[in-house]
Each structure stands twice: as structure tokens, then as C-alpha cells.
Amino acid sequence: MSVPAQPQSLLGTTLDELARLVADMGETAFRAKQVVEWVFRRRVATIDEMTNLSHELRAKLAEKFTLRTMKVQSVTGAGDTTRKFLLRLHDGRFIETVLIPASPALYGDRADRRTLCVSSQVGCAYDCKFCASGLAGFTRNLSAGEIVEQVVQVEAHTGERVDNIVFMGMGEPLANLTNLAKAIEILNSHWGINIGARHMTVSTSGLAPQIRKLADFPLQIRLAISLHGASDEVREKIMPVNRKYPLAELFDALDYWTSNRKQRITLEYILIEGVNDMLEQAHLLAKHARRLDALVNLIPYNTVEGLPWKRPSETRQDAFKDVLVRAGIMTTLRREKGHDIAAACGQLRLKQETELGIIESPAKSGALTLSS
Ligand code: SAH
């Protein structure tokens, strides 16, 4: 399949960049302000609608920029439930974005707020054994514009405002740090989408060096770590990234993060039967959480078609949580929303791309066999 060049999106362009560009076109900086007003406040979908700019300037902008690069392919779920958007990108690839009606307790501050779970890459290179996103491997990074556009598309489609953003869709956000940082700047800016930094959470499988880089970032965004194993032995079985950055190295990076921040970090822990749900892991997890002054978010595993993993019984989930609560750790057990709409990340896109023949069925390519 031939892949068209990635058009430069105004949704991924900062006010400063735009000011320089319009200056090069012989216009005043004020024009850049007018453009962002159309783009982010009025949310026009075409440059032609920017009626207070001259036809000439609009034509020049249209040569360089685009405003929409994706289409809503399908929406699953309705009303006040979790809604999952399958978005078709300009190159025919697919990503997923999930709108969650009440913010998960640990990422936002009010129950009536809407949280959007956005993707940062097409596919993922980190190969977590339980995750649908990595099954077909990594395709490409999303541009800053494509990250921001997910919010714009969902708000336009639903007429609702997104209050919180979690980078927990497809991909590893810290493996796309440059575009992620730019997207966060645009999402946060008062001239941009205008979402408070404290209402944005970056989730990572634990890329220690990039955690340090992000810690030096000026905005007070939140950090969540996909831990899923409280010892190296358990964690490296399901998350190959742990061989590269073992727990000691990850925790060092987290110490650096917390030394620089007011907000507590969140340790995410998916409960998978017989893999990481032993109570001895709960005790270790409590120890780590205490040391890092972290919150713990337990998530019963979402089954993925073709993968052998299962969620533990509710009794087991509660027993695991009890260990943490008795150790004084602030813990939530998210009996999740969206199980019925294949909301575990990557599932819809995997199905769509397999059906269209863009990727080979993971079952056929042998990706489902578990190493070690
Ligand atoms: N790469 C980043 C962000 C994307 S994954 C990260 O690893 O954090 C977002 C979260 O969904 C992670 O905690 C991931 O481990 C979890 N996840 C992946 N597959 C899942 C499944 N089948 N059930 C429940 N959670 C899952």
C-alpha cells in the first residue's frame, strides 16, 4: 500500500511556530492569533472557513497545512457509557480513542468529568504479553497533530467537552516523547485545547531514561506506571521491557520524578489469574507503593481474543486489594467499564486491520505463543 506523506496539521502546530510561519509569509503575528482562534476555539474543519483572513493568506496556509487528517470509522457504546472510537488515519491505518464518562478515581477530581484515553502510536513495540496492541507489532509514531486531533474528533462527534486526558490508548507514549511533549503543550495551552496539566496522565510501561526526561518537563502532569509485577521475576515474564529497565532502575527514575513533583504517581496493576495475583506479590507491591508514596490502581484483566490470560475471581481480586489496604496504601480496584466493547487497548484496531488485510492475523503469525 502506498503511504501518502504526512500532512502538517494545524492541530499539531504551536502558536510560536505559526507566528514564525506567517511572518515568513509577510504577515503580522496577530494573524497567527487569529488562526489559532479558528482552529482551537471555533474548531473550523477547513482553512477556507477562516473568513477574517484574506483569500490570499488562506490559500497560502492551505498549501502548507491541513486541519483534519482522520475520520471516525466507527463508534461502539452509547450515551453515558464508555464509548470507543475507531479512527482511520490518513495512511489507512487505525487507532482507538476511548471516552469514559466518569473520570477514573485516581486521575481526576470529579465524578461528572469525562476522560479521554488517547493513543500515542500505531501498534506498539514493547510486546507486553497480555496486551492486544503489541500483537501486530509497531507501525509508527503518531504526530503531535494526530494526538491532539483525537480530542478534537471526539468533541466534535459527541458535542461534549473532554476534561481529563489519559495516555493509555495504543502505544508507548514515552517512546514518542518529542511528539507527546508537543501534543501536551498544545492540549494544555490557553490558546490551544486548554486542559489543565493536572488533568493529563501519561502512562508508561517503564522507560526509565524517558521518565527522567519527562520529569524535567515544566508542566505538572501526572504519571502512571504499568507495573503489573512486583518482582523482577514475575514482571519480566509478562513485560519484556523489564529486562532492559529492571525494577531497581525504574524505581530510581521514579524517585527522580517524585523529587521534582507535587502529585503522587500511580502504580497500575492488572490482575491476571495465576500470573501475578499471588498475595506475596500484593505484599511486595505494598512495599514499593509505600516507598514511592504512590497510589495503586488494580485492574482486573480484560480478556483478549486469542490470548490465554484470565481475570481472577472477585474473591481473589478483593483478597489482593485487602493486603494493600491493610498496609495503608490508597488503592482502587477498577471493576472496569468497557469490557463488552473490547475496550482493552488495541483490540478493535487489531480486528479492523486484520479484516482489511493490512496486517496478518496475529494468530497466524505465531505472535500468541508465550516466550519464557
Ligand atoms: N504503553 C503504555 C500505555 C498504553 S497501555 C503503558 O504500558 O502504560 C494502557 C494500560 O492498559 C496499561 O497499564 C496496560 O498494561 C493496560 N492493558 C493492556 N492490555 C490490557 C488488558 N487486556 N486488560 C487490562 N489492561 C490492559
Side-chain angles (χ1 to χ4, degrees), residues 133-256:
S133 290
L135 284 181
F138 172 70
T139 302
R140 69 171 173 88
N141 281 330
L142 295 184
S143 64
E146 287 173 317
I147 295 174
V148 175
E149 189 170 342
Q150 293 172 60
V151 180
V152 170
Q153 289 281 358
V154 167
E155 289 191 341
H157 199 275
T158 60
E160 293 168 35
R161 170 102 177 121
V162 168
D163 306 284
N164 297 304
I165 305 236
V166 293
F167 291 89
M168 294 186 188
M170 204 192 305
E172 170 49 56
L174 294 193
N176 186 16
L177 192 55
T178 307
N179 295 346
L180 175 80
K182 191 175 184 191
I184 289 175
E185 182 191 340
I186 295 168
L187 290 168
N188 174 251
S189 289
H190 59 93
W191 51 259
I193 305 282
N194 200 15
I195 294 177
R198 286 176 181 75
H199 295 280
M200 289 192 248
T201 303
V202 170
S203 178
T204 177
S205 59
L207 275 55
Q210 283 85 344
I211 290 171
R212 288 171 185 273
K213 279 193 192 158
L214 194 66
D216 293 333
F217 197 63
L219 295 175
Q220 289 284 325
I221 53 171
R222 290 169 174 259
L223 183 68
I225 304 297
S226 296
L227 202 65
H228 310 334
S231 62
D232 282 322
E233 194 198 351
V234 168
R235 192 169 193 257
E236 73 182 26
K237 274 196 192 131
I238 50 179
M239 299 182 71
V241 68
N242 195 74
R243 298 207 184 105
K244 200 161 180 198
Y245 306 116
L247 289 178
E249 205 172 324
L250 173 60
F251 292 157
D252 274 354
L254 295 180
D255 283 338
Y256 182 70

Side-chain angles (χ1 to χ4, degrees), residues 76-345:
T76 326
D80 55 4
T81 62
T82 297
R83 273 162 291 172
K84 184 156 184 159
F85 295 77
L86 184 68
L87 301 170
R88 186 182 190 280
L89 307 180
H90 72 97
D91 60 358
R93 291 289 182 165
F94 292 90
I95 54 165
E96 296 165 27
T97 299
V98 182
L99 184 63
I100 308 158
S103 61
L106 292 175
Y107 308 115
D109 51 4
R110 277 184 17 215
D112 62 342
R113 286 174 173 255
R114 276 169 294 267
T115 296
L116 192 68
C117 176
V118 301
S119 292
S120 53
Q121 299 182 313
V122 181
C124 185
Y126 286 81
D127 201 26
C128 297
K129 298 304 173 196
F130 46 81
C131 178
S133 290
L135 284 181
F138 172 70
T139 302
R140 69 171 173 88
N141 281 330
L142 295 184
S143 64
E146 287 173 317
I147 295 174
V148 175
E149 189 170 342
Q150 293 172 60
V151 180
V152 170
Q153 289 281 358
V154 167
E155 289 191 341
H157 199 275
T158 60
E160 293 168 35
R161 170 102 177 121
V162 168
D163 306 284
N164 297 304
I165 305 236
V166 293
F167 291 89
M168 294 186 188
M170 204 192 305
E172 170 49 56
L174 294 193
N176 186 16
L177 192 55
T178 307
N179 295 346
L180 175 80
K182 191 175 184 191
I184 289 175
E185 182 191 340
I186 295 168
L187 290 168
N188 174 251
S189 289
H190 59 93
W191 51 259
I193 305 282
N194 200 15
I195 294 177
R198 286 176 181 75
H199 295 280
M200 289 192 248
T201 303
V202 170
S203 178
T204 177
S205 59
L207 275 55
Q210 283 85 344
I211 290 171
R212 288 171 185 273
K213 279 193 192 158
L214 194 66
D216 293 333
F217 197 63
L219 295 175
Q220 289 284 325
I221 53 171
R222 290 169 174 259
L223 183 68
I225 304 297
S226 296
L227 202 65
H228 310 334
S231 62
D232 282 322
E233 194 198 351
V234 168
R235 192 169 193 257
E236 73 182 26
K237 274 196 192 131
I238 50 179
M239 299 182 71
V241 68
N242 195 74
R243 298 207 184 105
K244 200 161 180 198
Y245 306 116
L247 289 178
E249 205 172 324
L250 173 60
F251 292 157
D252 274 354
L254 295 180
D255 283 338
Y256 182 70
W257 175 278
T258 43
S259 68
N260 213 356
R261 306 263 147 180
K262 291 186 215 78
Q263 310 276 339
R264 295 158 93 186
I265 59 172
T266 301
L267 300 177
E268 311 264 6
Y269 200 99
I270 309 179
L271 291 166
I272 312 176
E273 188 182 78
V275 174
N276 66 356
D277 65 340
M278 299 73 91
L279 297 188
E280 151 257 327
Q281 287 287 304
H283 286 287
L284 273 176
L285 177 57
K287 203 178 108 199
H288 300 319
R290 189 169 319 112
R291 179 175 160 300
L292 294 162
D293 191 25
L295 311 166
V296 170
N297 192 14
L298 300 173
I299 309 148
Y301 182 63
N302 260 315
T303 40
V304 174
E305 211 184 300
L307 287 184
W309 317 95
K310 278 201 281 241
R311 57 173 52 186
S313 68
E314 293 205 354
T315 322
R316 185 75 180 167
Q317 296 170 22
D318 290 335
F320 197 96
K321 183 183 172 183
D322 274 358
V323 170
L324 288 146
V325 171
R326 269 190 262 118
I329 307 301
M330 203 197 274
T331 309
T332 56
L333 172 60
R334 182 151 39 111
R335 293 254 158 71
E336 100 300 350
K337 303 172 173 132
H339 202 58
D340 52 331
I341 58 164
C345 43

